[in-house]
Amino acid sequence: MPTFFERRQLVTPGDLIAEGEYIAGENAYKEDNKIYASRVGLVEYENKRVNVVALKAFYIPKVGDTVIGTVIEVGFNGWMVDIHSPYLAILRASDVLSRPFKPQRDDLSEVLNVGDLVIAKIVAYDRAHDPQLTVGEPGLGKITRGQVIKITPTKIPRLIGRKGSMISMIKQETGCHIIIGHNGIVLITGKRLEDEQLAMMAIHKIEEESHTTGLTDRIAQLIKKEKEKAKQKEEIKSEPKT
Amino acid sequence: MSQKLEKLIDKKGLRLDGRKLDELRSIKIEVGALSNADGSAYIQQGKNKILAAVYGPKELHPKHLALPDRMVLRCRYHMAPFSVQERKSPAPSRREIELSKVIREALEPSIFIEYYPRTSIDLFIEVLQADGGTRCASITAASLALADAGIPMRDLVASCAAGKVDDTIVLDLMDTEDKVGTADVPVALMPNLNAITLLQMDGILTLEEFEKAVNLALEGCRKIYTMQKETLKAKYIGVKEVEE
Amino acid sequence: MSSIVVRVKQKQIAQLIAKGKRLDGRGLTDYREIKVEQGVIERAEGSARVLLGMTEVMVGIKIEIGQPYPDTPNEGVLTVNAELVPLASPTFEPGPPDENSIELARVVDRGIRESKAIDLEKLCVEPGKKVFIVFVDVYVLNHDGNLIDASALAAIAALLNTKMFKYEIEEGEVKIKPGHTPLPIRKRPIAVTFAKISDKLVVDPWLEEEQIMDARLTMTTDDDGNICAIQKGGSGCFTQKQVLEAAKIAKEKAEEIRKKLKW
């Protein structure tokens, strides 16, 4: 049962990773008892499972995922939402209005219009049907303020960190509220624009260096340094007055 | 062929551009050459200059063209009006329509099209300069563009032609050899799976010559495959370095 | 027919082929019954009708005088066009040629052109100015699979049947004289198409085999047994061994089929 790549080694589609009694995990497939890579990524072994952590992938909906999307169409009885996936999502009017929907009376574009951002949860999805969304839970619904950035969905685990260590550190250090959509869209809301910008910079850094070790400490230091800099600037500005 | 051209292979067995019989032209590939596309690649093979871009997967519109059990791959191979000696009309020619089809069918076996039903991938190939063997170079670049877009694939597809020039079987024909030569056999291969995904031929070959040409072309595909992998990995080399 | 019936039948076809058998009783390398009729349209300079099982293709040849291509001033011009006529199948739609009819025309063209079947130099009237243009129009009348082989066969059958008008040049003008001469034909290219089903090669796929095939491979050979055109189609693949095996079978099959042509 040989393996041909070490853990965390870079593979491209078609690379033969292992042979024998292995199971093809994520971004890998099995043919004639051989495990091949199906995407560019880093090899991970998980007992008998061979995974490839993709360096580039797109979001495929999963029931229960929280996503952030843009309304692109107002229809007769609901909205079409672009969730940065091959599939467009549907948000039904009845879900938002929480009472029977009357086309004569209700103007859907007054509730949500084209271009609006929403945080929603996926309640239904299968191969034959587009994903369906709900906003009927606390914390979901229309986004009215904050900054939105996009990261590769495969890098979300790194942004969250072990037991949420990374994301809670960023929240604490920047004082921002951060929501990570499983589709790779991240919403940052802080008291000041400067705080939001600091959080955005940290997240971009994580995406760029997602495969390095000791990342949490480095990001923490980076934020502290930036905060120091900002402080000094303010002091310089305020000095002439005194 | 009324005008007699000078010999295409000299006494030393070298070709017009100094290549050996089984030698590829110089190849330069770049992955992620276009920022708007979900995946892209640029290839220079000899004087060929070709861009390939992938958009998708995305929901297919109009909806009636979507398939319930698989993704639809759409491919457009197109030559720029200035890509050849005499200006080519930008309207798609019959040749371009046929090549769009065979290129699509050469790449389709490499994609897990059953993973994402009702969606489509658009593949656009623009030949900016043509120097013989554009369909093969297009496939080589397009396969990288698909991988760059994060499309799940069985293998990369590498493509190369062999042909007959001056009664000799040679690899990777350039424009003059293609025009004066007496046969051309473009081949595409998924090297790790040993699967031929494109095979065409025009000209005249005996069965023995054909076998020789196919074998030579397959060898060329394997060499190109190595370059494809290196290029793709090089794009992420930063990842590897910081890891250590 | 409901799709469930089709599915069941398709599965059966694939399973039989895996065992080396076919639903219509043919062996894997057997053709359906081939009928060739030459000279069926009097108005055309040449014509033929080919029946390949229930697949039916007609080819008409028209000859006109026109200009040569600048790079071949001493040669006549060959033009092949294919029409998937709507009456031939519920899947054919009226309108401009789609990629399937263009591919069909180009594969037929490649076989004739690359085998140098027509002696195009003999079709030159005035070098660089006037040459004969040979229009080969492929007309698919009933689609029951393997249009390429039927069309290629009908095309060469029609070319063999083609008569050119006699002419003389008077003050730079071409004057048609009474009488005819046959079109100068040197080779008879024959296309042989394989479908890959259950990882086996089957010759001359009929429609329902085409619907389940992984890929298609057409090999055209000339009278000397040389290969002159190849086309792979469909979104599957072949092994090197299958390709070389196909070339050998194609040569043998073409020899058999060539006997059906009157020359």
Side-chain angles (χ1 to χ4, degrees):
Chain A
M1 297 210 306
T3 57
F4 304 101
F5 285 90
E6 282 168 36
R7 193 183 152 262
R8 298 190 74 75
Q9 222 182 329
L10 189 59
V11 288
T12 56
D15 272 340
L16 176 61
I17 306 174
E19 204 171 339
E21 298 292 309
Y22 289 98
I23 303 159
E26 269 173 53
N27 304 314
Y29 70 98
K30 194 168 187 175
E31 216 168 275
D32 295 332
N33 224 21
K34 292 179 182 127
I35 306 279
Y36 298 94
S38 66
R39 271 184 171 136
V40 181
L42 303 173
V43 177
E44 285 288 352
Y45 297 101
E46 193 188 311
N47 299 325
K48 294 270 160 197
R49 250 171 98 86
V50 180
N51 293 319
V52 172
V53 182
L55 293 177
K56 189 133 175 213
F58 36 81
Y59 174 68
I60 292 300
K62 214 167 83 225
V63 172
D65 277 2
T66 301
V67 295
I68 297 171
T70 316
V71 175
I72 57 157
E73 202 180 303
V74 184
F76 290 114
N77 50 16
W79 299 266
M80 291 299 271
V81 183
D82 179 358
I83 54 166
H84 292 265
S85 159
Y87 302 98
L88 293 174
I90 300 158
L91 178 61
R92 291 193 198 283
S94 52
D95 182 86
V96 178
L97 298 173
S98 63
R99 57 174 162 77
F101 163 67
K102 292 215 172 67
Q104 310 93 304
R105 192 188 60 202
D106 297 319
D107 181 0
L108 289 186
S109 63
E110 278 177 16
V111 184
L112 281 172
N113 208 346
V114 172
D116 282 349
L117 286 170
V118 287
I119 305 176
K121 202 170 214 174
I122 294 174
V123 286
Y125 167 68
D126 61 51
R127 277 173 69 88
H129 301 92
D130 282 338
Q132 200 183 314
L133 302 175
T134 182
V135 292
E137 276 177 39
L140 304 181
K142 185 167 161 178
I143 296 170
T144 47
R145 52 183 287 264
Q147 306 294 325
V148 169
I149 57 170
K150 197 187 165 202
I151 65 166
T152 311
T154 48
K155 293 182 178 167
I156 289 172
R158 203 72 182 98
L159 176 55
I160 295 171
R162 193 163 293 162
K163 289 181 186 159
S165 57
M166 179 75 88
I167 196 70
S168 36
M169 182 273 290
I170 300 174
K171 282 179 185 171
Q172 206 185 333
E173 291 294 324
T174 63
C176 289
H177 186 61
I178 300 172
I179 296 170
I180 305 168
H182 285 93
N183 58 339
I185 310 291
V186 182
L187 174 71
I188 303 153
T189 35
K191 289 199 187 77
R192 301 182 308 159
L193 180 63
E194 288 77 17
D195 296 337
E196 292 175 347
Q197 280 169 336
L198 194 57
M200 279 164 74
M201 185 208 63
I203 292 168
H204 278 306
K205 198 81 184 162
I206 294 164
E207 192 185 13
E208 274 170 25
E209 299 180 9
S210 63
H211 296 87
T212 58
T213 46
L215 191 56
T216 315
D217 291 342
R218 255 184 301 137
I219 295 292
Q221 276 170 7
L222 182 79
I223 296 176
K224 277 189 187 127
K225 221 198 264 169
E226 290 292 320
K227 272 160 81 176
E228 292 273 302
K229 261 196 241 166
K231 225 185 199 171
Q232 278 170 7
K233 264 189 204 164
E234 261 167 44
E235 277 165 11
I236 294 166
K237 263 190 212 163
S238 51
E239 253 169 22
K241 283 176 194 167
T242 50
Chain B
M1 299 299 133
S2 44
Q3 74 274 38
K4 273 273 176 236
L5 255 125
E6 76 267 38
K7 294 280 275 181
L8 293 174
I9 299 171
D10 71 13
K11 283 175 204 143
K12 288 184 201 150
L14 293 178
R15 293 147 75 178
L16 287 181
D17 53 2
R19 276 187 294 155
K20 289 186 220 114
L21 303 180
D22 61 349
E23 195 177 332
L24 290 166
R25 288 176 282 184
S26 74
I27 295 176
K28 208 182 103 189
I29 318 174
E30 188 191 336
V31 176
L34 299 168
S35 65
N36 267 344
D38 294 314
S40 61
Y42 172 72
I43 186 167
Q44 274 189 26
Q45 185 165 1
K47 290 197 185 78
N48 282 322
K49 294 181 178 171
I50 299 164
L51 269 171
V54 169
Y55 285 84
K58 56 189 179 189
E59 254 173 294
L60 181 54
H61 294 278
K63 274 213 154 131
H64 68 90
L65 294 176
L67 297 175
D69 57 346
R70 50 162 283 191
M71 156 203 294
V72 172
L73 175 63
R74 295 190 290 190
C75 170
R76 179 181 123 124
Y77 163 97
H78 186 253
M79 291 178 86
F82 46 78
S83 62
V84 279
Q85 201 63 42
E86 296 208 1
R87 179 177 184 270
K88 190 214 147 276
S89 154
S93 66
R94 290 159 65 90
R95 176 182 169 275
E96 286 169 302
I97 292 170
E98 187 209 334
L99 288 195
S100 299
K101 182 176 188 284
V102 296
I103 290 171
R104 185 187 78 220
E105 291 171 340
L107 293 165
E108 244 172 7
S110 73
I111 303 173
F112 285 99
I113 50 172
E114 63 277 19
Y115 279 14
Y116 310 115
R118 302 179 287 117
T119 65
S120 70
I121 300 176
D122 282 327
L123 168 63
F124 300 109
I125 295 164
E126 283 293 333
V127 178
L128 305 176
Q129 183 163 278
D131 182 31
T134 57
R135 84 194 64 182
C136 293
S138 297
I139 290 169
T140 300
S143 184
L144 284 174
L146 288 165
D148 183 42
I151 312 282
M153 295 161 81
R154 290 183 174 83
D155 201 351
L156 297 173
V157 183
S159 182
C160 186
K164 190 175 170 187
V165 171
D166 281 356
D167 278 326
T168 314
I169 303 296
V170 300
L171 185 65
D172 189 19
L173 280 68
M174 57 166 183
D175 196 42
T176 325
E177 292 173 329
D178 193 17
K179 287 203 174 94
V180 183
T182 47
D184 183 26
V185 187
V187 176
L189 178 73
M190 291 195 279
N192 260 358
L193 306 175
N194 257 321
I196 296 172
T197 66
L198 170 100
L199 178 65
Q200 288 183 293
M201 191 206 117
D202 55 63
I204 295 275
L205 290 178
T206 64
L207 281 184
E208 293 72 38
E209 287 170 332
F210 171 65
E211 189 169 345
K212 209 175 154 192
V214 169
N215 290 340
L216 189 59
L218 290 176
E219 224 175 274
C221 291
R222 291 197 177 93
K223 283 182 198 158
I224 289 171
Y225 184 59
T226 313
M227 291 181 224
Q228 282 178 306
K229 289 169 86 93
E230 278 168 8
T231 316
L232 202 50
K233 284 179 178 166
K235 199 195 160 184
Y236 297 97
I237 206 87
V239 173
K240 262 173 81 184
E241 275 173 0
V242 287
E243 224 191 310
E244 282 146 11
Chain C
M1 212 179 342
S2 88
S3 62
I4 298 166
V5 177
V6 174
R7 280 273 160 91
V8 170
K9 200 170 173 188
Q10 287 178 343
K11 210 173 160 191
Q12 201 182 3
I13 292 171
Q15 283 168 345
L16 276 174
I17 288 173
K19 290 183 214 149
K21 290 177 189 168
R22 285 166 97 172
L23 197 60
D24 56 4
R26 280 188 284 161
L28 296 188
T29 59
D30 289 344
Y31 263 85
R32 289 169 286 179
E33 194 190 351
I34 304 173
K35 281 186 202 155
V36 182
E37 227 180 305
Q38 286 163 281
V40 289
I41 302 289
E42 288 80 1
R43 290 236 187 278
E45 273 78 283
S47 61
R49 180 170 159 263
V50 163
L51 281 161
L52 193 54
M54 282 188 314
T55 288
E56 184 175 350
V57 175
M58 188 177 280
V59 167
I61 313 285
K62 297 297 285 180
I63 295 182
E64 286 176 9
I65 286 177
Q67 279 193 341
Y69 287 116
D71 54 341
T72 52
N74 301 314
E75 290 181 16
V77 173
L78 167 70
T79 300
V80 181
N81 181 55
E83 293 285 332
L84 302 179
V85 190
L87 61 75
S89 163
T91 60
F92 293 170
E93 308 231 354
D98 65 359
E99 60 171 26
N100 293 312
S101 66
I102 288 173
E103 184 186 35
L104 175 62
R106 287 180 58 84
V107 174
V108 172
D109 179 291
R110 214 169 287 156
I112 300 168
R113 193 177 303 278
E114 300 298 334
S115 66
K116 303 193 165 55
I118 308 171
D119 190 349
L120 291 173
E121 285 185 18
K122 287 195 179 147
L123 301 185
C124 178
V125 179
E126 233 185 295
K129 283 187 183 146
K130 285 195 182 75
V131 296
F132 286 108
I133 300 176
V134 181
F135 289 95
V136 177
D137 279 294
V138 176
Y139 232 57
V140 175
L141 297 178
N142 199 50
H143 177 22
D144 193 35
N146 199 7
L147 294 178
I148 296 181
D149 292 2
S151 302
L153 183 59
I156 190 63
L159 287 169
L160 290 169
N161 169 255
T162 301
K163 290 179 182 66
M164 288 184 10
F165 42 83
K166 287 189 171 171
Y167 67 94
E168 56 187 17
I169 299 171
E170 267 178 32
E171 292 157 13
E173 292 294 307
V174 178
K175 284 267 160 79
I176 293 167
K177 292 203 307 183
H180 295 279
T181 55
L183 191 70
I185 300 289
R186 296 188 291 208
K187 294 278 160 59
R188 295 166 298 171
I190 301 289
V192 174
T193 295
F194 302 82
K196 190 177 116 176
I197 299 167
S198 307
D199 210 29
K200 285 205 155 57
L201 295 178
V202 299
V203 165
D204 180 31
W206 54 303
L207 191 58
E208 286 183 55
E209 288 174 337
E210 280 188 354
Q211 282 163 352
I212 58 161
M213 68 182 174
D214 297 316
R216 186 196 77 211
L217 189 63
T218 302
M219 300 238 177
T220 310
T221 50
D222 67 11
D223 299 56
D224 307 321
N226 294 323
I227 307 172
C228 51
I230 296 176
Q231 182 88 342
K232 178 245 164 190
S235 50
C237 40
F238 292 94
T239 63
Q240 190 176 357
K241 205 176 140 225
Q242 282 169 333
V243 167
L244 300 176
E245 182 194 330
K248 283 196 193 91
I249 299 170
K251 187 179 157 181
E252 287 162 21
K253 287 285 144 190
E255 273 163 24
E256 283 171 32
I257 296 167
R258 205 167 280 121
K259 288 177 192 148
K260 297 193 182 287
L261 293 171
K262 277 190 209 131
W263 191 13

